Structure formats: C-alpha cells, structure tokens
Amino acid sequence: MTSEAIPAFVSINLLGVAGIIAWYFQGRSRPTARLILQIIVFSAMTAAVVLAGRNPFRFDAPHLDGAGSLVISAKILWWTHLAWAAIGFVRIYIVLEGKPKEARLLQDLIVALVYLGVLLSVMAFVFGVPIGTLLATSGVVAIILGLALQNTLGDVFSGIALTLGRPYVLGDWILLADGTEGRVVASNWRSTYLLTASHNLVVLPNSVLAKQGLTNISKPDESHQIMLSVRVLPTQKPSSILEVMRTVLANCNSIIHEPTPEVAIKGINAAGLEIELLFQVTSPSQRIPARNEVIDMVYRHCRASGLRLAMPLTTSFVLNEARFEPTDGSASDDPIHLLTELGLPERERLGSLAIKRTFAQREIIARKGDLGTGLTIIQTGIVLITRGTHERRLAPGDCFGGVTLVAGEAEPDEIKALTRVTVHEIKNDALDRLLAAYPDILMGLANELPHQDAKATTYSERSSVTPRGRAELVHTVRSLFRRDQL
C-alpha cells in the first residue's frame, strides 16, 4: 500500500469507530435518527475507500505490517456499517399493517440473512477464505447439527408456522385435543405457555402444539357454550317440562340471554325424561358460577312446578308405580314450602297469612317510588328487579317488597313480571303480629335472603339476645329486609 493511501484508511477507521460510538448513544428510541446517522457515516466511509483506490468487493492480499492492519480493520468496519445501515432500513420500512408479530418475524429473518451475508463477505473479500469450499464443508456440518438438534429445530420452525398462521394471540383461551386448556400468557421461538383455570403454568413445545387440534375459545369472542344434562321424572307432559326448563334458563343472571339458551329432550323412558340445557357465558372463567346458578334454578323451579328429579340410569332401585302418577302440571298453592330454612310450623303460620296474586307477563308489580303493603314471596315465574342499568332476576322462593316495611320509605327499584308470575303477599300488619308472637321466624327469613348476607350476619350476632318486645322485633326484621344494592 502506498504511503499516500495511509491517511485515507486512517480516516476510514476513525469514521467507523466514531460511527459506532454515535450509533450507541443514539439509542433504540430514535430509529430514524440512527438510520440517518448510519447512512451518513457509511457514505463518508465509502467515499474514503474510493479515494484510496480500493474495492471492498475484491480481495487484496494485505502486507503483514501496520498499514496492512489498517486495510483489514477499514474493510471490516465498512462491511459492519453496511450491515447496520441495511438493518436500520429493514426495522423501519419492513412493516405489515395490522400484523406486528408477523412483521417482527420477517424483520428478524432478514436481519439474520444480512448478518450471514456480511460475515461471508468479510471472510471472502477481507481474509480471502474460499467460500465455495467453506460452504461445502459447512453443508456436512449443518447436516450433523440438524440431526443433533432435530427437536429444537422442529420447535423453532413450528413456532414460525404458528406465528404466520396466527391460530391464537397472547391472551386467547385455547383448548387442545388432549383436553389441555388455558390462556396463552407467553410465546417464543421454542415454547408456548398456558395458564390453566387451576392457575398452573403449562409449557408446550411448539412442535407438539402444531401437531394437535386446537380450539380457540376466544375467537370470535370469549362467549362459551355449556351443556348441562338433567333427568326429570315423567310425571307431566314433555312440553310442560320443556317450558319449565326454558324458565330456568331465563331466570339465570350469570348466563348470556342473546342468543337465546336452548333446551332439548335427549330421550325418555319409564325411569325419567333426559333433558339437555345449552347456554352461553361471557368467558370461560364464568363457567363454574353459571353452572352452579343453573343447577340452583333447576331445583327451585322443579320444586315450584311440582316436578321431581329422576334417578340416574345406573342406579338400581325398586320402581314405585305410585310415584309416577301423572299430574296436571300445577304447582302447590302454598309458596311457603319453598322457604326451606323455615321449620314446618313457621311455614304454616306464614302460609295462613299469605294472599295469592297473579301477574301477567311484562306486567309491572311495583314502580320505583311506590309504597308497598307487605312482604311478597314468589311461587312461580320470574320477577325482574331493575335499578338504573342493573338488573336482577328472582326465582321461586325469593322474597321482595321487604324494604317498604320501613315506614315512609319508598320502593327503590322497578319490579316487573318477566314471565307469568304467581306470588303470595303477607301484609305488614299481619307480619308484625306474627313476628311478635313467633320470634323464631326471624332467623329463617334472614337465611332465605341470599342477597342480604351482610344483614343476616348482623342479625346472627344478635340472635342470642332475647327479643325485648314487639317494637324491637319489628325494627330487626325491617333492617333485615333493606336492599342497599341489587
């Protein structure tokens, strides 16, 4: 190398080092400024190489002296800045609109090819390594490594296929063919991580996941269908039993009512009528609460309608013909039998004071601001309580109207019959006299109000104290029947 070219290669090295320092301090938060800097530095280095009379795409055997070292370092820095400029362009301008994960994968693959190409170019044009022989040798090595890393490479390529296919994204709830299900919380080149309903973390290799059938429960939304089988004694017409089961589903607050839940008869025999309830919930996490509520409503409405649950087919029992006598489908006129927390004497006393009333579908039972006349117990049907935008559905055995036991306090909700409803009302004055004479009824009524747990707890703490007259009894039951929230 001539002495005139030495300053040019010194300037190339200085530009390369200065570019690295400036590139580092630019940071990842300013990709456009970093790319502009890379283009400026690379252009200046290219101009210096041209002025020095060297071609970076041709191998020139360097002399083993200080000047030769300057040529080698200058060429390496030139190829390095070429790679960084190309990568900066790829990171900014290779974008797939609406598909950031696929764009990132494509960028990573192009960056890997850029680095591989620059590495081979440095070996060929800087050090004079015969690339043809190297590639032939590396092919044999690649075969050996491929066999040794077969499973790992399978996971990597399966991860690429899953990323491009997008059968799921982070946050989706998926169900695999082997029964494994959970929410996708993380995914990388090799594995996918699922958080199950029992709060366990399942790590699945991508190759295993790609081979299995996969159901994405979160697509198109997270609504999830549940199937529940019920067996009922065939004591009524199947059409009447179907209507009761439709009422059961309409009464549930934890399920989706659009689309309408379905009821299907799967079979019938002398031992029972098998019915399948199909309903949807908003997300997989709501399956257990919804199933529990549906089972509770099946019990309540069957009891209110005079239906009885049948034994499983696998159960051996002696057939009692008297138990299977058909009925007319009418429920008992006594709704107090639904208050299971009360003893028989207390139920009889309350029942003797009850006045039966019937409301048509969609009929208003009480408007907001009305002053009620007593405590009302639902015998059959569904009652809808609305407060603002919040709704609550009451089933047979539930009570309402107790808030008006407090003198002068108006009804805070609108109460409407969602279906045809039969209720029994106990007037305030009659209830006051009954509670004064039979204070044991208080605890039973408190336990019959599941949405009044806090009030019931308050009363239970005082239940060991002997009531001190009618006034205290009335005050206690009034506080129990307050509804601060739906």
Side-chain angles (χ1 to χ4, degrees):
M1 180 177 63
T2 62
S3 58
E4 292 82 3
I6 292 178
F9 282 100
V10 171
S11 63
I12 294 172
N13 282 278
L14 291 176
L15 282 171
V17 173
I20 292 174
I21 295 173
W23 179 86
Y24 176 79
F25 283 104
Q26 281 287 339
R28 294 179 179 271
S29 60
R30 303 175 62 187
T32 303
R34 177 181 276 191
L35 175 60
I36 294 173
L37 176 64
Q38 285 295 331
I39 293 174
I40 293 173
V41 172
F42 177 70
S43 299
M45 293 177 68
T46 302
V49 169
V50 173
L51 290 176
R54 294 293 178 128
N55 183 359
F57 296 96
R58 185 181 64 198
F59 171 68
D60 295 320
H63 298 285
L64 299 179
D65 53 15
S69 300
L70 285 175
V71 174
I72 293 175
S73 61
K75 284 188 174 183
I76 292 175
L77 287 172
W78 186 88
W79 281 105
T80 302
H81 281 279
L82 173 62
W84 285 353
I87 290 171
F89 181 84
V90 168
R91 292 298 190 195
I92 295 177
Y93 297 105
I94 303 296
V95 177
L96 301 179
E97 295 296 337
K99 298 181 178 180
K101 194 171 183 180
E102 287 84 346
R104 182 70 181 182
L105 174 61
L106 183 59
Q107 290 175 3
D108 290 342
L109 292 176
I110 295 176
V111 167
L113 292 175
V114 170
Y115 276 125
L116 179 60
V118 168
L119 177 61
L120 294 176
S121 298
V122 169
M123 295 176 66
F125 302 128
V126 178
F127 297 103
V129 177
I131 298 301
T133 305
L134 179 63
L135 292 177
T137 305
S138 62
V140 177
V141 176
I143 293 175
I144 296 173
L145 290 177
L147 293 175
L149 302 175
Q150 183 176 4
N151 292 335
T152 301
L153 292 175
D155 292 335
V156 170
F157 286 107
S158 297
I160 294 174
L162 291 172
T163 300
L164 295 177
R166 291 177 67 88
Y168 57 82
V169 296
L170 292 182
D172 284 354
W173 191 282
I174 62 174
L175 171 65
L176 303 183
D178 61 1
T180 303
E181 65 174 314
R183 193 174 298 279
V184 181
V185 294
S187 180
N188 54 38
W189 291 104
R190 190 178 184 279
S191 305
T192 297
Y193 298 81
L194 301 183
L195 185 65
T196 65
S198 56
H199 216 67
N200 296 324
L201 191 65
V202 178
V203 181
L204 291 170
N206 288 330
S207 58
V208 175
L209 190 60
K211 294 176 183 177
Q212 291 201 44
L214 183 151
T215 302
N216 192 333
I217 299 176
S218 298
K219 301 297 182 187
D221 54 49
E222 286 209 347
S223 60
H224 183 63
Q225 188 176 68
I226 301 176
M227 180 187 70
L228 179 67
S229 294
V230 178
R231 285 181 55 79
V232 181
L233 292 178
T235 56
Q236 297 183 20
K237 298 184 299 182
S239 59
S240 300
I241 298 176
L242 280 178
E243 190 59 35
V244 172
M245 294 302 159
R246 292 191 184 101
T247 305
V248 165
L249 295 178
N251 204 161
C252 294
N253 296 287
S254 301
I255 70 174
I256 299 175
H257 294 280
E258 289 293 337
T260 306
E262 298 289 338
V263 181
I265 297 178
K266 293 184 64 177
I268 188 172
N269 51 45
L273 186 71
E274 188 170 359
I275 301 172
E276 193 173 78
L277 307 181
L278 300 172
F279 52 93
Q280 293 188 9
V281 292
T282 55
S283 68
S285 61
Q286 293 297 313
R287 286 180 293 188
I288 293 178
R291 186 184 292 271
N292 291 342
E293 185 185 17
V294 171
I295 292 174
D296 179 68
M297 292 301 161
V298 168
Y299 171 82
R300 290 194 189 197
H301 283 277
C302 285
R303 188 178 176 114
S305 304
L307 295 175
R308 287 174 289 182
L309 299 178
M311 292 285 187
L313 288 175
T314 55
T315 303
S316 299
F317 62 97
V318 178
L319 186 65
N320 184 355
E321 294 292 342
R323 295 177 56 209
F324 293 87
E325 289 298 324
T327 65
D328 59 2
S330 61
S332 170
D333 285 338
D334 178 19
I336 313 302
H337 75 281
L338 297 171
L339 304 181
T340 55
E341 293 290 338
L342 293 176
L344 180 60
E346 288 78 10
R347 292 202 299 268
E348 290 177 349
R349 294 184 187 107
L350 283 176
S352 64
L353 300 175
I355 301 173
K356 184 176 179 180
R357 299 182 63 188
T358 301
F359 297 91
Q361 184 179 11
R362 300 294 177 182
E363 183 178 352
I364 301 296
I365 299 176
R367 300 182 185 277
K368 182 178 180 180
D370 289 352
L371 289 176
T373 58
L375 175 69
T376 305
I377 306 170
I378 302 173
Q379 177 185 344
T380 60
I382 306 172
V383 171
L384 182 67
I385 295 182
T386 305
R387 179 177 298 182
T389 59
H390 300 283
E391 294 183 347
R392 179 177 175 83
R393 302 181 182 208
L394 302 184
D398 284 338
C399 308
F400 65 89
V403 68
T404 57
L405 288 173
V406 180
E409 184 173 348
E411 177 62 53
D413 312 311
E414 181 184 79
I415 304 175
K416 180 171 61 176
L418 192 60
T419 63
R420 180 179 175 83
V421 172
T422 301
V423 301
H424 286 252
E425 184 180 40
I426 304 174
K427 298 295 184 180
N428 289 342
D429 54 351
L431 184 61
D432 285 350
R433 291 195 303 272
L434 182 66
L435 294 176
Y438 303 99
D440 291 342
I441 295 177
L442 266 177
M443 179 59 74
L445 286 176
N447 292 334
E448 291 292 347
L449 299 175
H451 56 286
Q452 294 290 335
D453 290 339
K455 299 295 184 182
T457 301
T458 301
Y459 173 76
S460 64
E461 293 173 353
R462 303 173 49 192
S463 59
S464 59
V465 180
T466 303
R468 292 174 295 181
R470 176 181 178 278
E472 180 175 345
L473 285 171
V474 173
H475 173 74
T476 302
V477 75
R478 285 173 178 171
S479 67
L480 283 172
F481 284 113
R482 287 183 185 272
R483 279 198 311 272
D484 296 327
Q485 57 184 4
L486 284 177

